[in-house]
Amino acid sequence: MKHIIGGIQWAVFLLASSIAAPIAIAHVFGMDTVETTLFIQRTMFVLGLACLIQAFVGHRLPINEGPAGLWWGIFVVYAGMVGVMYPSSGDALQALQSGMIVSGILFILLAITGLISKMKTLFTPAVTFTYLMLLILQLSGTFLKGMVGVETHSDRIDGLLFLGSLLVVLVTFFTMNHKVPWVKRYSVLLSIGIGWILFLVIGKAGFVHSEFDGWIQFPQVLVYGMPVWDSGMFITAGFITLLLIANMMASIRVMESLLKQSFSITPPDRMKQGSIASGLNHLFAGLFSAIGPVPISGAAGFVGATRIASIKPFIVGSIIVIVITIFPAIMSVFAALPAPVAYAVTFAIFTKMVEMAFRELSVEPNQERGYKVAAVGLMIGVGIMFIPQESMSDLPNAISAVLSNGLITGTVIAILIEQFYLWRERRRT
């Protein structure tokens, strides 16, 4: 029974933390209500399937898959090319669909050739600390804007919405630190449920009515047509794949560290299998015309908050997500979850990530070198976050996608700087 309740909690967390991406992408491509619902359905189906693939043949860790932020950015960039490089939204989405299939193939090839295993050594405690802090800093603004109801520059802070969000944050902290074990274990589920009820009471939540006649509708494949040859998209997919590998490694490294420090669990090294699974997941994302998935580092915060390290509830939750996607009416209900509630609960969960980041840095054997690596990586990564994406519009798509992402750029800089210091130390000896 506890695995079922834990699975429901995982399913709610996966849906709440991932539903914003397909909604936003559907908006920039001008999809109507039905197209948006189906896009959400396909994306959530792929995410649930991706979690199962990782659980059984991949890294075998309780790390939920979410829409990759890098792919999210590329979708937005390509939406801006409609009418310029692509005649219609369908043509741009067809190119993106093809790019994810290419990315899946590259994931598998890099794993088979053994390059993945060599790349794992790059994620030292100092680099992992830099990655975690950049992730937290990048998302904190999104969380706070969502909690006060600000989506565009013209929006004004909604005081009632902010008050409701603040109460949800306090409820989440209270349940996460409760003395009763079962309250702490299901803190996320309880907080989302209480928050949803609270927003209904204050009139800040509504319901989405399904526009589908049938009860069951399976996700469609190759919605935008057969894969096409698009050289620009394929080059972009190559860059994105390398960066997603870095993202995947960091997420696995963070979860491994949490399991060792907090649960005395030492998981086996399955980075190669995780990469092959990520390749399969991208192939499915292309096949089902969805968003490419990536292991989410926030899963470590979720496990740390709920104290559920077992992978069985995670598997149950993934199955629940897949089943839910087959019923459009149920998907419509989950789509009605007030965004500020999801942001508020996730905000509280990510405070655990800050704790983990500093614990990582504390185990760095060479503290002085670690401080230098983190300082430069953080300054460059955070600095890039303040540069408007529009200012990079004249750059090639692949370069723009990389440089506009402070998380990835800062992490890569940290890796390069640390490798330089290590090379210089070896040379001196």
Side-chain angles (χ1 to χ4, degrees), residues 4-83:
I4 295 175
I5 298 175
I8 294 172
Q9 182 170 239
W10 264 113
V12 172
F13 176 70
L14 195 155
L15 289 166
S17 61
S18 303
I19 204 164
I23 291 175
I25 290 173
H27 176 72
V28 297
F29 274 98
M31 298 183 190
D32 59 30
T33 305
V34 173
E35 290 173 329
T36 299
T37 302
L38 291 176
F39 187 58
I40 294 171
Q41 178 203 36
R42 295 194 302 271
T43 298
M44 293 303 166
F45 175 82
V46 168
L47 293 181
L49 184 62
C51 289
L52 288 181
I53 291 173
Q54 289 287 10
F56 286 108
V57 301
H59 50 61
R60 294 182 179 173
L61 295 170
I63 307 175
N64 63 298
E65 298 273 323
L70 285 166
W71 277 119
W72 188 347
I74 293 298
F75 268 86
V76 173
V77 169
Y78 271 66
M81 296 181 185
V82 175

Side-chain angles (χ1 to χ4, degrees), residues 132-210:
L132 283 174
M133 290 304 298
L134 286 172
L135 176 67
I136 294 158
L137 293 169
Q138 186 176 60
L139 293 178
S140 60
T142 302
F143 295 155
L144 287 173
K145 286 193 291 185
M147 288 164 60
V148 299
V150 174
E151 296 182 0
T152 65
H153 294 294
S154 60
D155 290 337
R156 295 292 179 265
I157 293 176
D158 187 325
L160 184 58
L161 198 71
F162 175 63
L163 180 60
S165 299
L166 184 59
L167 289 173
V168 175
V169 171
L170 294 175
V171 168
T172 309
F173 278 128
F174 175 76
T175 54
M176 281 169 50
N177 298 285
H178 204 277
K179 294 181 180 179
V180 178
W182 72 267
V183 174
K184 180 184 292 186
R185 186 176 296 115
Y186 305 117
S187 57
V188 173
L189 185 59
L190 289 169
S191 300
I192 288 178
I194 294 170
W196 201 334
I197 294 171
L198 174 64
F199 271 64
L200 284 170
V201 171
I202 65 176
K204 293 295 182 180
F207 292 96
V208 177
H209 300 286
S210 176

Side-chain angles (χ1 to χ4, degrees), residues 114-115 133 210 257 292 311 363:
L115 292 176
M133 290 304 298
S210 176
S257 178
I311 199 170
V363 299

Side-chain angles (χ1 to χ4, degrees), residues 43 68 76 111 156 203 233 237 282 306 310 312 316 339 348 363 379 396 406 421:
T43 298
V76 173
R156 295 292 179 265
M233 182 68 252
H282 270 74
T306 60
S310 173
K312 291 180 181 178
V316 172
V363 299
M379 287 190 68
Y421 277 123

Side-chain angles (χ1 to χ4, degrees), residues 25-26 28-32 35 39 42 75 78-100 222-228 230 233 286 289:
I25 290 173
V28 297
F29 274 98
M31 298 183 190
D32 59 30
E35 290 173 329
F39 187 58
R42 295 194 302 271
F75 268 86
Y78 271 66
M81 296 181 185
V82 175
V84 180
M85 293 183 63
Y86 297 95
S88 67
S89 296
D91 293 305
L93 289 165
Q94 185 180 26
L96 289 160
Q97 174 183 279
S98 306
M100 275 177 280
L222 298 175
V223 175
Y224 307 110
M226 296 297 291
V228 295
D230 187 315
M233 182 68 252
S289 308

Side-chain angles (χ1 to χ4, degrees), residues 286-365:
L287 178 65
F288 285 97
S289 308
I291 309 170
V294 67
I296 301 299
S297 300
F302 177 85
V303 171
T306 60
R307 310 301 299 170
I308 301 177
S310 173
I311 199 170
K312 291 180 181 178
F314 173 74
I315 292 172
V316 172
S318 303
I319 294 172
I320 290 173
V321 169
I322 291 174
V323 172
I324 285 174
T325 61
I326 300 174
F327 299 92
I330 300 178
M331 281 300 302
S332 298
V333 173
F334 274 95
L337 171 67
V341 173
Y343 284 123
V345 174
T346 310
F347 176 88
I349 290 172
F350 264 72
T351 60
K352 291 287 184 182
M353 301 286 288
V354 179
E355 296 175 20
M356 282 187 282
F358 282 101
R359 287 198 198 101
E360 277 293 312
L361 190 60
S362 68
V363 299
E364 170 63 50

